[in-house]
Amino acid sequence: MLFLILSIICSVTVGILFKFSRHYNVNNAQIVAANYLFALVLCYWFFSPNLNEVNTSSPWHIYIALGILLPSVFLFLAISIKYMGIVKTDAAQRLSLFIPILAAWLIFKEDFNVFKVTALVVGFPALVLILSKPSQNTKNKWIYPTVVLLGFGVIDILFKQIALFTTLPYTTSLFIVFSIALLIMLAVVGYELLANKVRLQPKNIVFGGLVGIFNFGNILFYLKAHQAFAKNPSTVFAGMNMGVIIIGSLVGILVFKEKLTKINYAGLFMALVAIVLIVLSQTK
């Protein structure tokens, strides 16, 4: 249970760091680049991936897709937290679990039980209610958490495809994906430095390092939680998603004074119900 709690704390802390960083006039591209640099070092340190096992038969098309998607969605995550707050962004990120569920149904032709169908019926209205804006200050900004939801949903599908590639350890694949993501972001930062004369600032490296540490911590403790609850993975699944929504909401409301309407609260409650239904669907 400790690993699960630590994973939830790390996940929410990433959002808190992005929320704090907006007060320091930071450069999100530099933060995301530094994040992958630190995550890559930690990945190598903790998992010791054997890169000699990587060859042309490895799923490079998935690695490249993830290497592009991960930093891109991370940038939208930062923007979404800035304009829509931690509460709505965390909820949107966690509701992205419906994307792989739909893919399993529509693409992979998996059977659907009543719990999954009900979860979808509850989950999509929940998202609409959560993203319902309390004021005109967030007009048209709903696009950011929507991209976060869709992006993390696709990322989840791709990571599940990597997990099926059993000839290479999952952690080695993770190291390759982080490496590609870092190269992509170094190219973005390099372009900004040369073309737009943007300066490389230490504060961006500091924030990025912290984001990278907690981002990796989220992954590390999540994997350890799954190992600890090997016979009951639905416990980890439910605990992680519900924990992030609840803790993220409390932090957003109590610490950052984010304003939510009764409609938003109803959406959060429906999101939790939808996650419970998904867990029940996995146990049947």
Side-chain angles (χ1 to χ4, degrees), residues 30-248:
Q30 292 181 22
I31 288 178
V32 174
N35 149 70
Y36 284 115
L37 176 60
F38 277 75
L40 191 65
V41 171
L42 290 171
C43 187
Y44 189 83
W45 186 11
F46 279 91
F47 299 139
S48 302
N50 184 4
L51 299 180
N52 293 325
E53 298 176 342
V54 182
N55 51 51
T56 54
S57 64
S58 301
W60 284 99
H61 59 295
I62 300 179
Y63 292 158
I64 293 171
L66 280 169
I68 296 171
L69 270 175
L70 274 174
S72 301
V73 175
F74 226 144
L75 289 173
F76 273 97
L77 179 76
I79 299 171
S80 179
I81 289 172
K82 176 181 178 180
Y83 289 112
M84 298 296 285
I86 291 176
V87 179
K88 295 185 177 185
T89 302
D90 274 348
Q93 181 181 350
R94 292 302 150 183
L95 283 176
S96 66
L97 62 92
F98 289 110
I99 305 298
I101 290 173
L102 280 175
W105 180 30
L106 299 174
I107 300 174
F108 304 110
K109 307 301 180 183
E110 287 187 12
D111 293 331
F112 257 42
N113 56 36
V114 66
F115 289 108
K116 282 188 179 180
V117 173
T118 308
L120 291 172
V121 171
V122 174
F124 285 108
L127 181 65
V128 174
L129 296 179
I130 290 169
L131 298 184
S132 176
K133 57 182 182 294
S135 70
Q136 293 303 309
N137 292 333
T138 56
K139 185 177 180 181
N140 297 328
K141 300 297 190 300
W142 57 268
I143 189 67
Y144 300 125
T146 301
V147 171
V148 168
L149 180 143
L150 295 175
F152 275 110
V154 174
I155 286 168
D156 192 21
I157 293 173
L158 294 175
F159 269 124
K160 281 182 170 61
Q161 293 301 302
I162 284 181
L164 298 176
F165 188 77
T166 55
T167 58
L168 199 65
Y170 185 81
T171 50
T172 301
S173 293
L174 188 65
F175 182 85
I176 296 170
V177 171
F178 280 169
S179 298
I180 296 172
L182 176 60
L183 290 175
I184 295 292
M185 288 313 302
L186 287 177
V188 172
V189 171
Y191 176 81
E192 288 187 344
L193 292 175
L194 297 174
N196 300 332
K197 308 301 181 183
V198 175
R199 291 189 303 167
L200 192 64
Q201 296 180 305
K203 62 183 178 182
N204 296 321
I205 309 302
V206 172
F207 273 112
L210 290 172
V211 169
I213 291 170
F214 284 102
N215 187 26
F216 178 79
N218 173 32
I219 296 170
L220 176 65
F221 293 127
Y222 188 68
L223 291 175
K224 285 186 175 293
H226 268 295
Q227 291 173 350
F229 289 93
K231 295 183 179 180
N232 194 9
S234 60
T235 299
V236 180
F237 180 85
M240 185 66 192
N241 288 286
M242 294 179 69
V244 169
I245 290 179
I246 293 171
I247 302 300

